[in-house]
Amino acid sequence: MRILLAEDDQRLGKLIDHMLKREGHEVDWVQRGDDAYHYAKASHYDLFILDWMMPVMDGVTLCRQLRQDGFQCPILMLTAKDAVEDRVQGLDAGADDYLVKPFASAELMARLRALSRRSKVPLQEEIVQVADLVLNRNRHSVTRGGEEITLTSREFALLDLLVQNKGQVLPREMIMERVWGFDADVTDNTLDAYIRLLRKKIEPPGAAKLIHNIRGVGYTLEE
């Protein structure tokens, strides 16, 4: 699964991130509620793990906002609050399950498996089109003008991020964290090199340019 983990405790966050990746899941870990919300809006996730107490936006507020925005994937709430009224508040906000700290790693993984099985959200083909460029996330395919384009997994992730945020300028730092990971040792030169490779593949001679460099900020994709 592709999981968004929002946990501001460094030690616990690293532990959960390591456990999930060891099980083969793809994880984005953020430490603030508002960052989690921006990540959720910018990409697709199969499951959210939200800590109750986080800076700027707490987990309950974030959970409620995600549900109001139409997010249907399972949400697991993590918290040290174990009173009945606290659990009720979290569940009423839209959480599907509730795990009280401290917890055993085996229980966390079992809860995630259960949520994955219980999810009633059907797998839909997520097709996004910009001009004559068509990206199909489920098939992991890209075409332009009807011609299929072969991309590496990293190039696809980069294009996917730009397409999902078409018309918006994405800062370099956000792109690198989102595509390579929070702790990856990635430089501006690496990002620029991938952008050049991507442009060669999706912007053949004579085709309109889609990826634009915003000097001193980052990149945007627009018709």
Side-chain angles (χ1 to χ4, degrees):
M1 292 187 293
R2 191 173 190 180
I3 299 174
L4 177 61
L5 168 64
E7 170 60 67
D8 67 330
D9 184 292
Q10 282 275 351
R11 185 191 61 81
L12 181 59
K14 287 182 179 180
L15 178 61
I16 296 175
D17 180 66
H18 175 73
M19 286 191 299
L20 294 175
K21 288 178 178 176
R22 186 178 59 193
E23 293 292 322
H25 301 299
E26 184 178 346
V27 184
D28 286 325
W29 171 35
V30 296
Q31 299 175 52
R32 292 176 20 158
D34 58 331
D35 287 339
Y37 181 68
H38 294 148
Y39 269 64
K41 296 285 284 185
S43 190
H44 169 79
Y45 294 96
D46 301 302
L47 189 144
F48 298 118
I49 302 176
L50 309 180
D51 180 35
W52 184 304
M53 300 299 294
M54 288 185 293
V56 184
M57 180 185 291
D58 63 74
V60 172
T61 302
L62 173 59
C63 182
R64 186 177 295 111
Q65 186 62 57
L66 290 171
R67 293 310 191 204
Q68 289 176 356
D69 289 350
F71 287 87
Q72 300 179 40
C73 67
I75 296 177
L76 174 63
M77 187 76 71
L78 304 180
T79 180
K81 297 175 177 286
D82 59 357
V84 173
E85 55 268 26
D86 294 323
R87 300 188 188 197
V88 170
Q89 183 181 356
L91 295 171
D92 282 347
D96 296 279
D97 201 357
Y98 193 103
L99 190 56
V100 177
K101 303 175 184 178
F103 50 82
S105 59
E107 182 179 7
L108 171 63
M109 301 311 299
R111 297 283 186 110
L112 296 182
R113 289 192 295 270
L115 286 174
S116 177
R117 291 193 300 268
R118 281 158 41 191
S119 176
K120 297 181 176 61
V121 181
L123 183 63
Q124 301 175 347
E125 287 194 340
E126 296 185 48
I127 301 174
V128 185
Q129 183 167 352
V130 181
D132 57 346
L133 178 78
V134 179
L135 182 145
N136 186 314
R137 185 174 295 105
N138 289 339
R139 293 183 178 178
H140 217 266
S141 65
V142 177
T143 62
R144 184 164 192 191
E147 296 292 326
E148 189 159 356
I149 301 170
T150 301
L151 300 179
T152 66
S153 59
R154 191 81 70 184
E155 290 168 347
F156 185 89
L158 177 55
L159 180 61
D160 187 14
L161 180 64
L162 292 169
V163 167
Q164 287 300 308
N165 294 275
K166 58 184 177 181
Q168 299 183 46
V169 179
L170 300 183
R172 286 173 168 273
E173 293 77 12
M174 177 186 176
I175 296 174
M176 290 187 285
E177 287 182 7
R178 185 64 192 81
V179 175
W180 279 269
F182 186 75
D183 294 324
D185 184 17
V186 181
T187 66
D188 285 343
N189 289 337
T190 301
L191 173 58
D192 292 338
Y194 269 87
I195 290 289
R196 286 195 296 272
L197 291 172
L198 190 56
R199 278 174 167 162
K200 286 183 179 179
K201 293 184 177 182
I202 71 169
E203 297 176 353
K209 292 188 178 299
L210 297 177
I211 301 176
H212 304 275
N213 177 28
I214 307 302
R215 187 177 297 276
V217 182
Y219 291 97
T220 184
L221 184 143
E222 56 187 25
E223 301 181 34

